[in-house]
Amino acid sequence: MSASAVLRPPGESTVVVAHRGGLPGPENTLPAFEQALLTRAAFVETDVRLTRDQVPVLIHDATLDRTTDGHGPVAEHTFSELRTLDAGAWHDPRYAGSRIPTLDELLALLAPTDMNALLELKGTWSIEQASLLVDLVHHHGLTDQVVLQSFDAATLHALAQCAPHLPRFLLAEELDGDPVEAVRASGCVGFGTTPELLAAHPQALAALHEADFVVFCFTVNSREVADLLRAAGVDGIITDTPALIGG
């Protein structure tokens, strides 16, 4: 399934996205991504940040403290410094020694497969910085398997300038105004949000679909909630438990 399949025809199955690789592995590590390849997920999702020396690495938080044995902001460390850290033991002793991976490593893992990637750019990226990520996507021949997303308007604008051919999602946990106009103004093809926001704005999903935008929901770990979202017509479900939600 190519990334263009997120623009699915009516009646097609809702795609499942392995959030940060999904369980049981430690989030945003190669063991988690490798396990995601064994599930029925159509996408693997991850978070991308830049090191001090501008290497795209995969970690959710702005700081190292929660998911590694390091401390302080990711952006204040070089890649070589980050590579010495343990990113697995906090989650489970079985994964001790897992490292913070690079985006390059994830894309190399996905290149021989049909797994798609949903890449969230954390923080604000310039055009030059966004181009570093886009160049890696091109290098691995994955332009048909990658969707980019961000909460940040400036980052989405930078992506539109350096990679107009790659599909982009606007992320939002709160809604100020018309979601259709927000997605249209961002130049995106889709909207990533929570089940709670859709429940609070019951017309939003239909309006976004009417405008030919796709809608993904995060982070859904209940089979009951996932079934309700499928029935409502949500296009993608992002989950920590792809084996459960995808079954």
Side-chain angles (χ1 to χ4, degrees), residues 24-26 29 31-32 35 86-89 91-99:
T29 62
Q35 290 161 7
D86 189 309
H91 178 75
D92 189 303
R94 291 178 298 164
Y95 296 102
S98 297
R99 303 302 176 192

Side-chain angles (χ1 to χ4, degrees), residues 151 170-175 191-202 204-205 208 215-220 225 229 234 236-238:
F151 286 92
L170 170 66
L171 298 176
E173 294 181 288
E174 298 179 356
L175 192 57
F191 186 58
T193 192
T194 65
E196 292 78 12
L197 184 143
L198 292 182
H201 300 273
L205 180 60
L208 287 159
V215 180
F216 278 26
C217 277
F218 60 85
T219 303
V220 180
V225 173
L229 292 170
V234 165
I237 294 173
I238 300 172

Side-chain angles (χ1 to χ4, degrees), residues 43-123:
F43 281 79
V44 62
E45 185 269 354
T46 190
D47 309 283
V48 189
R49 292 185 180 275
L50 289 171
T51 65
R52 191 176 75 197
D53 49 348
Q54 304 295 284
V55 176
V57 294
L58 309 182
I59 184 169
H60 176 271
D61 296 3
T63 59
L64 298 162
D65 301 69
R66 182 177 65 88
T67 58
T68 78
D69 56 354
H71 304 285
V74 174
E76 292 182 4
H77 292 75
T78 65
F79 172 65
S80 62
E81 291 170 339
L82 295 184
R83 200 61 158 184
T84 66
L85 302 179
D86 189 309
W90 70 275
H91 178 75
D92 189 303
R94 291 178 298 164
Y95 296 102
S98 297
R99 303 302 176 192
I100 297 174
T102 64
L103 176 61
D104 188 41
E105 288 173 316
L106 174 61
L107 297 180
L109 178 68
L110 299 183
T113 77
D114 61 358
M115 176 75 81
N116 302 299
L118 186 59
L119 307 179
E120 180 181 345
L121 284 70
K122 305 297 286 188

